[in-house]
Amino acid sequence: MDWATYYPAYAEVKPTSHEQDLPEFQTPPTQRMRKEVTVADIGCGFGGLLVALASKLPDELLLGLEIRTQVTEYVQDRIKALRNQNPDTPLYQNIACLRANTMKFLPNFFHKGQLSKIFLCFPDPHFKARKHKARIVSSTLNSEYAFVMKPGGWIYTITDVEDLHKWMVEHLEGHQSFERIDEEEQENDICVSVMKVETEEGKKVERNKGNKFIACFRRMKDPPWPE
């Protein structure tokens, strides 16, 4: 994955020893990232949460993953415009968006234990029972989240559909790699405060005076292998 394309401010060009012997016009630069992506917003929509968290998590690289092509292009253009509007600061250099079907390809983007935060904000509720298998939280997907998350990392969930909230709580609490975070710790987390108000869906729920159901979960350490 060529992350330098998405985070150019965090890339450095480092020619290999073989490349140093080539004429400059023949040298394919090897770009190495100074940081890894550690925060993923799965189903990022129009990028409201990404933009809001850019200044709250300045030392992290955040990636939005969105399956809709036109929405992805909109977010990419939005980030480019924000960077151009703030040329003398690192603001918004730490966020990016790419088109991806995370239900199929999440481990293709991240290695084991890479992420410290995953956001699942207002996912499609898939109301019909036969469509529940398409929900973004399931036993299979939870194992993939556990694989890419480091111990101590958080999964953040928010929805305005109580049935989906209960579903996500049941499946994440039922997974051996996650434990639910108590309400006091959850409410003191700055990302929860941002998540409540900065997503486009969240703003729509606010305008309609709807409810928001929030639950966060911590990635636990894997148990030691038996000797």
Side-chain angles (χ1 to χ4, degrees), residues 154 156 186-187 189-197 214 216:
W154 282 35
Y156 298 75
Q186 175 179 293
E187 290 304 310
D189 185 85
I190 183 62
C191 294
V192 172
S193 302
V194 174
M195 179 178 69
K196 287 180 180 178
V197 297
I214 298 169
C216 298

Side-chain angles (χ1 to χ4, degrees), residues 46-98:
F46 293 93
L49 182 63
L50 281 176
V51 171
L53 287 177
S55 60
K56 303 296 184 184
L57 303 173
D59 298 324
E60 310 280 351
L61 294 191
L62 295 78
L63 179 68
L65 298 158
E66 173 57 48
I67 196 170
R68 295 167 292 178
T69 301
Q70 289 183 319
V71 176
T72 301
E73 292 173 351
Y74 169 84
V75 178
Q76 291 171 341
D77 290 342
R78 182 180 183 182
I79 292 171
K80 183 178 180 180
L82 287 168
R83 289 174 178 175
N84 290 337
Q85 292 165 14
N86 297 271
D88 301 322
T89 75
L91 193 59
Y92 306 117
Q93 297 291 339
N94 63 331
I95 59 174
C97 176
L98 61 83

Side-chain angles (χ1 to χ4, degrees), residues 131-160:
K131 296 288 289 181
H132 284 180
K133 61 184 179 182
R135 286 179 168 177
I136 199 67
V137 168
S138 67
S139 299
T140 300
L141 288 171
N142 291 350
S143 293
E144 293 192 1
Y145 300 147
F147 175 81
V148 299
M149 293 194 76
K150 69 178 184 180
W154 282 35
I155 287 185
Y156 298 75
T157 73
I158 183 171
T159 179
D160 59 328

Side-chain angles (χ1 to χ4, degrees), residues 142-219:
N142 291 350
S143 293
E144 293 192 1
Y145 300 147
F147 175 81
V148 299
M149 293 194 76
K150 69 178 184 180
W154 282 35
I155 287 185
Y156 298 75
T157 73
I158 183 171
T159 179
D160 59 328
V161 179
E162 188 174 11
D163 174 69
L164 178 60
H165 168 70
K166 291 178 179 178
W167 168 282
M168 293 192 290
V169 169
E170 176 187 348
H171 284 75
L172 282 163
E173 279 190 326
H175 195 283
Q176 61 184 0
S177 294
F178 295 103
E179 63 177 358
R180 189 168 181 179
I181 293 166
D182 65 68
E183 190 167 340
E184 181 179 359
E185 184 177 2
Q186 175 179 293
E187 290 304 310
N188 288 330
D189 185 85
I190 183 62
C191 294
V192 172
S193 302
V194 174
M195 179 178 69
K196 287 180 180 178
V197 297
E198 292 295 345
T199 67
E200 285 75 15
E201 283 294 322
K203 292 176 181 177
K204 184 167 70 174
V205 172
E206 198 80 26
R207 290 193 299 270
N208 295 333
K209 303 187 184 304
N211 294 318
K212 298 176 186 176
F213 302 97
I214 298 169
C216 298
F217 302 85
R218 182 181 286 108
R219 171 67 161 94

Side-chain angles (χ1 to χ4, degrees), residues 105-119:
F105 304 117
L106 183 67
N108 291 11
F109 296 104
F110 310 113
H111 61 71
K112 180 176 173 61
Q114 179 174 340
L115 300 180
S116 61
K117 300 179 190 296
I118 289 178
F119 291 89

Side-chain angles (χ1 to χ4, degrees), residues 17-32:
S17 57
H18 172 69
E19 290 170 345
Q20 289 172 344
D21 297 331
L22 295 174
E24 183 177 354
F25 68 89
Q26 293 182 4
T27 303
T30 300
Q31 292 188 301
R32 184 174 63 184

